[in-house]
Amino acid sequence: MTALLTEKNGTAPRSTAPGSPPSASRRRPGRERAFDDVPRWQIYLPLGLYLLFTLVPFYWMLLFAVRPAGSTSLVPWPMTGAHFSKVWNERSFAVFFQNSMIVGVATLVATTLVALAGGYALARFDFRIKGAFMLALLCSQFIPGALMLVPLFEIFRNLQMINSLGSVVIAETVFQLPLSIILISGFIKNVPVSLEEAAWVDGCSRFTAFRTVVLPLLRPGLIAVGSFAFVHSWNHFLFALMFLSEQDKQTIPVGLNTLIGADSVDLGALAAGGVIAAVPVVVVFAFIQKWLITGFSAGAVKG
């Protein structure tokens, strides 16, 4: 009977099965547009402009770094390494690079360890001022580091830590901790408590259960927090400038500032120093890009 009615009316019977997708005739035309219908130039043109805007400054810096002094060519040929040799040997960039690496690695380790302990406490324990503490962590992100220079300088002077890399490490760690604790806390919340409880039933202590069960699952979050702390301390200029006055204790950002004279600027040496400063950051992000995106996205999700 249904078939006869269908042939007579010239329409197909409507599907009444639950969960079945709506027929194409019931969809409004133009409501949805397939991705394949978008012209490719509308995608590639904005991406190309953004890529051009991003890469041109790097190309310009690399051009000045490898181009002979006095040359005005827009193509780096013939190339020279005289500028790199000058800043590395004559301008003490080898010492600056070593100091920056010490500060960056020490800040990475200190920030990760303290943020791991603080994030676990916020994620697993309830205490009376927990909400106020989280609010204080968030509000501390609005305080610029320049406001803390005078009290930090007085503290380090009383502790006889001026002209010590330890003062820069402590200052960098303190300013990295609020965001790091929030990220680690959010990442730990995504790990089910039942995993730790199962380890407790098997006889593990809280620390052993955390080390063997939870810690391996936190790898993306730890990499994200550690890389962010390393890159920030590597590029930060203000603390190193204020707390380090001796040349053999200065870092790369302060060393780059010394290449800018009052009357003239050696563009070749400055560009070569910029390339040296950028290489570790580029290498770090090239190797941890996948973990970094995963860590930040997972840490931002409320468990």
Side-chain angles (χ1 to χ4, degrees):
M1 186 66 180
T2 304
L4 293 176
L5 291 175
T6 301
E7 293 178 358
K8 184 177 180 180
N9 298 331
T11 58
R14 296 181 180 179
S15 174
T16 57
S20 60
S23 61
S25 61
R26 298 177 60 185
R27 296 177 182 174
R28 296 181 181 177
R31 184 69 179 272
E32 296 179 358
R33 188 178 184 184
F35 178 77
D36 294 336
D37 296 338
V38 179
R40 293 304 183 191
W41 67 268
Q42 295 185 9
I43 301 175
Y44 294 137
L45 180 61
L47 292 178
L49 293 176
Y50 176 76
L51 188 64
L52 183 66
F53 179 78
T54 305
L55 293 182
V56 164
F58 288 98
Y59 176 78
W60 201 253
M61 180 177 64
L62 186 62
L63 178 65
F64 275 94
V66 300
R67 191 173 64 180
S71 175
T72 58
S73 175
L74 297 179
V75 179
W77 190 264
M79 299 191 333
T80 178
H83 300 305
F84 291 96
S85 177
K86 179 179 180 180
V87 298
W88 190 262
N89 298 319
E90 299 179 13
R91 297 287 188 166
S92 304
F93 258 67
V95 178
F96 300 156
F97 189 91
Q98 180 181 355
N99 294 336
S100 292
M101 189 63 66
I102 293 174
V103 171
V105 173
T107 303
L108 184 155
V109 174
T111 302
T112 303
L113 291 178
V114 178
L116 190 61
Y120 184 83
L122 289 177
R124 291 292 190 255
F125 298 100
D126 291 325
F127 46 93
R128 190 171 295 178
I129 61 172
K130 182 177 179 180
F133 184 74
M134 289 292 294
L135 181 62
L137 289 179
L138 292 174
C139 293
S140 65
Q141 298 299 297
F142 299 98
I143 301 177
L147 294 180
M148 304 301 294
L149 284 177
V150 174
L152 285 176
F153 187 87
E154 288 296 322
I155 292 174
F156 292 142
R157 185 176 63 85
N158 294 330
L159 295 176
Q160 298 181 356
M161 295 185 64
I162 299 297
N163 291 325
S164 172
L165 295 179
S167 60
V168 181
V169 172
I170 293 175
E172 294 288 352
T173 302
V174 168
F175 278 88
Q176 291 298 314
L177 277 178
L179 179 61
S180 301
I181 291 176
I182 293 173
L183 288 175
I184 292 294
S185 174
F187 201 84
I188 293 176
K189 288 180 180 179
N190 292 328
V191 179
V193 184
S194 57
L195 296 178
E196 290 185 83
E197 293 175 347
W200 299 342
V201 172
D202 291 338
C204 294
S205 62
R206 180 178 290 272
F207 177 77
T208 304
F210 172 78
R211 180 174 56 85
T212 58
V213 177
V214 180
L215 191 59
L217 301 177
L218 301 180
R219 183 182 302 175
L222 295 178
I223 292 176
V225 169
S227 60
F228 188 77
F230 175 83
V231 172
H232 186 273
S233 61
W234 180 274
N235 294 326
H236 205 194
F237 170 77
L238 195 57
F239 290 153
L241 177 67
M242 293 299 299
F243 303 147
L244 305 174
S245 59
E246 298 179 1
Q247 185 176 0
D248 59 344
K249 296 295 181 63
Q250 293 175 348
T251 58
I252 280 186
V254 182
L256 288 173
N257 186 59
T258 60
L259 298 177
I260 303 176
D263 301 324
S264 63
V265 178
D266 190 346
L267 293 179
L270 185 62
V275 172
I276 294 175
V279 166
V281 178
V282 173
V283 171
V284 168
F285 277 103
F287 280 99
I288 66 171
Q289 179 181 3
K290 178 181 69 174
W291 297 106
L292 186 65
I293 296 174
T294 305
F296 275 116
S297 61
V301 177
K302 182 178 179 180

